[in-house]
Amino acid sequence: MESSIWTVLAFYILAATIVGSALLVVCLRNIVHSVLWLAVCFIAMAGLFLTLDADFLAAVQVMVYAGAVCIMVVFGIMLIQRGNMGQTNLFNSQTKVSAAVVALVITLCGALSARTQWATAGAPVPEKTVENIAQLLLSKYVIPFEVAALLLLVALVGAIFLAREVKE
Amino acid sequence: MQPLSIGLVHYTVLSAILFGIGLFGVLAKKNAVSVLICIELMLNAVNINLIAFSKFVTPGDFIGQIFAIFVITVAAAEVGVGLAIIIAIYRNKLTVNLDEFDWLKW
């Protein structure tokens, strides 16, 4: 339980930013504006990670998501969109059904997590997050770490192969 | 629970709301790139859950944070490959409207 007034204030401001910008990502009609609000959402989420004592992950979030992923998506949009950008991000015909499904999912997940008695430990997170993560990644989780590296290589080669210009 | 304290429940509820917004985008958008973006939102909701559990349930173990790193890695790879697939499809069909992707219909 964090009960410092600044932590509470930071959580509510960041949560409002995250939810508001995620709603704008879904609801805006111009997809470039959607991606800009997506960057805002990712940066607010990095702040939320800071309130959770995960400073290394906050830095990774800003670099990988707000930097790399958003830039890559903007490049993809620039390569494939033609004509009027104001109508590029429309809803399809199953909006009402999916809104009902989503309302059900949010209500169920929220109610279940509010009713569950979580076995919280109550101890603080150690100060040295980077050192601890590095120890685990290079000892106990070294095989998944290497597999992740291999996955990135395969994804890179596959993306180049798929997006390559076809010469005939 | 005191009214002015942030616990695990706050983070899980926020994560559920964010996951729901992403799911709505995946189900109800026409543009393929938009669906990719909304999948990113859902993966971020999962990351909030993982890091919140890592802080409140197992503070000294850092397993949730390591899993969040793997989720970020897989999400980055997924965006790269997904955009490449969308670009390749656009080159064939000259559209990214998901309603018109109907090769697998019979």
Side-chain angles (χ1 to χ4, degrees), chain A residues 2 26 42 65 88-89 121, chain B residues 6 29 31 40 44 55-56:
Chain A
E2 296 279 347
V26 175
F42 286 158
Y65 272 122
T88 45
N89 199 7
Chain B
I6 300 299
K29 295 306 270 192
N31 194 328
E40 294 300 308
N44 268 288
K55 174 175 178 177
F56 287 102

Side-chain angles (χ1 to χ4, degrees), chain B:
Chain B
M1 179 169 46
Q2 288 90 34
L4 264 184
S5 63
I6 300 299
L8 182 53
V9 176
H10 292 77
Y11 288 100
T12 49
V13 169
L14 172 66
S15 162
I17 292 171
L18 191 65
F19 189 86
I21 293 172
L23 184 62
F24 179 63
V26 169
L27 291 176
K29 295 306 270 192
K30 268 185 180 175
N31 194 328
V33 179
S34 179
V35 170
L36 213 61
I37 291 171
C38 292
I39 292 174
E40 294 300 308
L41 284 181
M42 291 163 76
L43 288 168
N44 268 288
V46 173
N47 274 349
I48 291 179
N49 257 353
L50 284 173
I51 297 174
F53 284 135
S54 173
K55 174 175 178 177
F56 287 102
V57 181
T58 57
D61 289 352
F62 290 97
I63 295 179
Q65 298 199 14
I66 285 180
F67 269 79
I69 290 175
F70 288 139
V71 170
I72 289 174
T73 313
V74 172
E78 173 244 322
V79 168
V81 178
L83 275 174
I85 289 173
I86 292 172
I87 289 172
I89 291 176
Y90 178 77
R91 203 171 287 141
N92 283 323
K93 283 224 149 188
L94 292 181
T95 180
V96 286
N97 187 348
L98 285 174
D99 295 339
E100 296 173 31
F101 293 172
D102 52 2
W103 294 299
L104 292 182
K105 277 186 182 170
W106 68 89

Side-chain angles (χ1 to χ4, degrees), chain A:
Chain A
M1 285 290 158
E2 296 279 347
S3 52
S4 153
I5 182 71
W6 297 112
T7 315
V8 176
L9 208 63
F11 174 79
Y12 281 113
I13 291 172
L14 288 169
T17 313
I18 288 170
V19 172
S21 55
L23 279 173
L24 282 173
V25 168
V26 175
C27 294
L28 284 178
R29 299 169 78 84
N30 187 337
I31 194 162
V32 179
H33 297 172
S34 288
V35 179
L36 292 178
W37 282 107
L38 186 77
V40 173
C41 183
F42 286 158
I43 290 171
M45 209 156 324
L48 195 78
F49 290 171
L50 285 180
T51 69
L52 284 168
D53 298 330
D55 41 8
F56 175 67
L57 274 166
V60 169
Q61 175 89 7
V62 170
M63 283 192 291
V64 174
Y65 272 122
V69 168
C70 285
I71 298 294
M72 203 152 62
V73 173
V74 168
F75 266 100
I77 291 166
M78 293 304 164
L79 284 172
I80 59 184
Q81 292 296 341
R82 300 283 186 276
N84 183 13
M85 291 302 281
Q87 302 290 319
T88 45
N89 199 7
L90 302 175
F91 286 105
N92 61 16
S93 54
Q94 27 183 342
T95 307
K96 285 186 181 131
V97 181
S98 48
V101 170
V102 166
L104 192 70
V105 167
I106 291 179
T107 319
L108 264 180
C109 291
L112 284 177
S113 68
R115 285 166 61 92
T116 307
Q117 297 289 324
W118 301 103
T120 51
V125 179
E127 283 287 317
K128 295 180 172 178
T129 55
V130 181
E131 282 89 338
N132 282 308
I133 291 173
Q135 281 284 345
L136 278 172
L137 273 184
L138 293 179
S139 61
K140 192 176 174 188
Y141 292 95
V142 66
I143 300 290
F145 185 60
E146 297 293 334
V147 170
L150 205 65
L151 173 82
L152 282 176
L153 178 69
V154 170
L156 183 70
V157 174
I160 291 172
F161 184 76
L162 279 170
R164 188 184 51 174
E165 283 292 331
V166 185
K167 294 197 181 72
E168 280 158 13

